């Protein structure tokens, strides 16, 4: 929890520095974005603590309800006239009670919950192809189809990464996994590259082994400039130059280059180490879960954070092709932050139940030891009186 709160505070500081120029240009108020994000952070932390005091095992009963609700929202987004949809020329947002919501964020957790419930319910058959891969994949197809129609390709990639991470860690159909993954990767690449020139342009602009920035996409080129100018210790918090209308999406997908430019290699390293600590702690919590359902939930949630961090930093450093994936707890976006903090509440719930189980086991051992000690003391007194007493 402490690691998470440090990450949230770090993210809010970096976001304010990255957003004030854009906020002033858009609304004349330098504090507009950070004020909104701070409100979501406070609400999200409250939700996180509320969820942490409930038993995560109750989520098992919500699996299908959440699944169909997610499909409903994804379908509604395709017919929504939300201004964000029209300006971005895609259909990824719906408006609920005056609040814009991105259903693909809910789809990530819906996939995690559904996969965890299925693997737990079929523990004995999970090694087979049918129960290990085919059946758990069937409910995923409508979700991916609706997200594809938005279109939101990065969400598809991320959901598949989370899904297969859970299957592999759960020991599902391992002997079939390699050919299935190979076919899946080929299919996703073909699906993306055959649709339009947008994806192909991103792939053409990926120059991993080239130092010529002119062949990169504009976003990647400006990102490299920002990271390079940061040096070891950075230009100082608030002193980024690239965030002033040069680097696109500075408050979302490309917030990490602003961090690198202002805080340098040291600041970037601290950010990565904090995420590494959070992921390792999350994995330990998942391993201490009293049941497979909790372990799979923990693996899925931490897998989502790990893959998002990897893909976001990989994109901005030109390590992988450019795709729009936000940096958890740093990038702006109320839907993402609320969902992530809700999921961290589930992690805290798993931790509470796991710790309670360990404490109960310790208590029983101490009681058993005390009984043995008491029995041994009485035996000694009976044998020899005071001369043999302990």
């Amino acid at each position: 929890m402490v690691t998470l709160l440090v990450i949230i505070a770090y993210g809010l500081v970096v976001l304010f520095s990255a957003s004030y120029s854009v906020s002033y240009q858009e609304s004349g108020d330098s504090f507009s974005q950070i004020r909104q994000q701070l409100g979501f952070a406070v609400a999200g932390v409250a939700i996180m603590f509320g969820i942490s005091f409930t038993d995560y095992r109750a989520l098992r009963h919500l699996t299908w309800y959440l699944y169909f609700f997610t499909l409903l929202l994804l379908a509604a987004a395709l017919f929504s006239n939300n201004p964000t949809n029209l300006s971005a020329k895609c259909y990824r947002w719906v408006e609920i009670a005056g609040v814009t919501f991105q259903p693909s964020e809910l789809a990530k957790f819906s996939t995690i919950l559904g996969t965890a419930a299925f693997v737990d319910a079929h523990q004995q058959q999970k090694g087979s192809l049918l129960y290990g891969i085919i059946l758990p994949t069937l409910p995923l197809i409508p979700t991916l189809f609706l997200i594809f129609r938005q279109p939101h390709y990065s969400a598809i990639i991320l959901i598949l990464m989370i899904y297969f991470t859970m299957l592999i860690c759960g020991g599902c159909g391992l002997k079939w996994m390699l050919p299935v993954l190979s076919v899946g990767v080929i299919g996703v690449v073909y699906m993306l590259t055959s649709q339009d020139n947008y994806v192909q342009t991103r792939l053409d602009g990926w120059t991993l082994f080239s130092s010529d920035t002119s062949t990169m996409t504009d976003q990647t080129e400006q990102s490299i400039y920002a990271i390079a100018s940061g040096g070891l210790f950075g230009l100082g918090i608030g002193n980024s130059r690239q965030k002033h209308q040069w680097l696109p999406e500075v408050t979302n997908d490309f917030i990490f280059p602003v961090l690198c430019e202002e805080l340098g290699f040291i600041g970037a390293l601290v950010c990565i180490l904090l995420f590494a600590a959070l992921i390792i702690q999350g994995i330990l919590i998942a391993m201490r879960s009293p049941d497979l359902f909790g372990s799979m939930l923990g693996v899925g949630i931490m897998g989502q954070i790990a893959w998002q961090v990897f893909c976001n930093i990989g994109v901005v450093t030109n390590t992988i092709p450019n795709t729009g994936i936000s940096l958890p707890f740093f990038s702006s976006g109320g839907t993402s932050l609320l969902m992530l903090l809700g999921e961290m509440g589930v992690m805290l719930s798993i931790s509470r139940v796991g710790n309670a189980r360990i404490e109960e086991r310790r208590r029983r051992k101490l009681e058993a030891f005390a009984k043995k000690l008491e029995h041994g003391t009485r035996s000694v007194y009976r044998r020899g009186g005071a001369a043999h007493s302990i």
Side-chain angles (χ1 to χ4, degrees), residues 23 35 37 39 56 107-108 136 150 180 222 251 273 286 347 390:
S23 298
R35 187 185 298 114
Q37 191 75 356
Y56 69 90
K108 297 172 188 176
Q150 291 182 353
V180 169
Q222 298 300 328
T251 63
L273 290 177
M347 291 300 303
I390 60 175

Side-chain angles (χ1 to χ4, degrees), residues 80-361:
S80 173
N81 291 324
N82 185 278
T84 310
N85 289 334
L86 300 178
S87 62
K89 297 182 180 180
C90 52
Y91 297 88
R92 303 176 184 176
W93 294 269
V94 294
E95 191 169 319
I96 302 176
V99 178
T100 302
F101 183 81
Q102 194 168 12
S104 59
E105 295 295 334
L106 184 62
K108 297 172 188 176
F109 182 66
S110 176
T111 300
I112 293 171
L113 181 60
T115 305
F118 186 91
V119 173
D120 179 61
H122 300 88
Q123 296 184 38
Q124 305 303 321
Q125 305 104 325
K126 66 182 182 180
S128 66
L129 176 63
L130 179 63
Y131 285 93
I133 297 178
I134 296 177
L135 290 182
T137 304
L138 291 179
L140 194 61
I141 295 175
T143 301
L144 296 180
F145 174 75
L146 290 172
I147 296 176
F148 176 75
R149 295 295 300 171
Q150 291 182 353
H152 196 180
Y153 302 137
S154 58
I156 293 176
I157 295 172
L158 186 59
I159 288 174
L160 287 175
M161 285 178 168
I162 297 168
Y163 173 68
F164 280 108
T165 297
M166 294 182 68
L167 290 188
I168 292 172
C169 292
C172 300
L174 291 181
K175 63 181 179 180
W176 308 96
M177 191 59 67
L178 184 59
V180 169
L181 279 175
S182 301
V183 173
V185 170
I186 294 172
V188 169
V189 171
Y190 174 78
M191 175 186 66
L192 297 180
T193 56
S194 63
Q195 291 302 310
D196 49 41
N197 294 327
Y198 173 76
V199 176
Q200 191 60 49
T201 301
R202 293 296 182 93
L203 293 175
D204 292 340
W206 181 44
T207 54
L208 178 60
F209 301 108
S210 174
S211 59
D212 183 10
T213 58
S214 63
T215 59
M216 300 178 182
T217 61
D218 181 61
Q219 286 180 322
T220 305
E221 181 182 9
Q222 298 300 328
S223 174
I224 295 298
Y225 289 159
I227 295 171
S229 63
L232 184 61
F233 298 105
L235 304 178
I237 191 71
N239 294 329
S240 168
R241 295 185 289 261
Q242 293 299 114
K243 68 184 178 185
H244 296 293
Q245 319 308 319
W246 290 98
L247 179 62
E249 298 293 337
V250 291
T251 63
N252 202 324
D253 301 341
F254 283 81
I255 194 172
F256 189 75
V258 177
L259 185 156
C260 294
E261 187 177 13
E262 296 188 346
L263 301 176
F265 175 79
I266 300 300
L269 184 61
V270 169
C271 174
I272 293 172
L273 290 177
L274 283 171
F275 276 117
L278 181 69
I279 292 166
I280 291 171
Q281 290 168 339
I283 292 172
L284 293 177
I285 288 173
M287 292 172 63
R288 295 173 63 175
S289 171
D291 56 14
L292 182 61
F293 178 67
S295 294
M296 294 305 299
L297 267 181
V299 167
I301 292 171
M302 301 320 297
Q304 176 184 342
I305 294 176
W307 281 119
Q308 282 196 215
V309 172
F310 171 79
C311 290
N312 179 272
I313 297 178
V315 165
V316 302
T317 56
N318 199 38
T319 306
I320 62 175
N322 195 332
T323 182
I325 293 181
S326 60
L327 185 63
F329 308 112
F330 278 74
S331 299
S332 64
T335 305
S336 175
L337 185 59
L338 290 176
M339 286 301 305
L340 284 170
L341 289 175
E343 291 174 16
M344 296 311 298
V346 175
M347 291 300 303
L348 290 177
S349 174
I350 297 172
S351 180
R352 287 183 190 278
V353 175
N355 289 339
R357 182 192 182 198
I358 292 173
E359 290 301 322
E360 178 65 19
R361 192 178 298 170

